[in-house]
Amino acid sequence: MTCTEFLAQLDDMLDQDAAIPLRADLQEHLRECDHCEVTLSTTRTTIQIYRSHELYELPEDLRERLHKAIMAKCKKC
Ligand SMILES: [Zn+2]
């Protein structure tokens, strides 16, 4: 799995419960890639902050910003 593939999956995960365990192939990538691990933990923290304020639906602009930040970082990989 490449970083681009991983990050595309991560975007899908924004719609899911952050507590759901990662698929095995995603975990495999994280073991090899510190960059994606940091990106994942940052994204999860952001989602948890939103959910703790009972904003269960991520605002569209936040999704947009997260997505752009994720893909921008990926280019440096
Ligand atoms: Zn990666």
Side-chain angles (χ1 to χ4, degrees):
M1 176 176 290
T2 65
C3 291
T4 306
E5 285 167 346
F6 180 88
L7 293 166
Q9 304 270 348
L10 182 61
D11 192 46
D12 290 343
M13 282 170 40
L14 297 180
D15 291 328
Q16 298 172 12
D17 189 330
I20 291 174
L22 288 179
R23 293 204 331 250
D25 55 345
L26 298 176
Q27 287 180 20
E28 179 83 31
H29 182 78
L30 284 179
R31 274 200 292 274
E32 298 163 0
C33 185
D34 288 345
H35 162 77
C36 287
E37 190 174 20
V38 170
T39 304
L40 173 66
S41 76
T42 306
T43 304
R44 281 187 155 172
T45 302
T46 306
I47 292 170
Q48 277 163 6
I49 288 166
Y50 269 81
R51 295 218 164 125
S52 71
H53 289 84
E54 301 193 358
L55 296 167
Y56 290 98
E57 287 290 315
L58 291 183
E60 203 54 41
D61 67 324
L62 174 70
R63 292 179 59 98
E64 186 84 353
R65 273 186 287 135
L66 272 175
H67 190 238
K68 280 187 181 145
I70 288 166
M71 294 319 253
K73 280 183 195 166
C74 184
K75 286 178 193 149
K76 296 174 197 159
C77 253

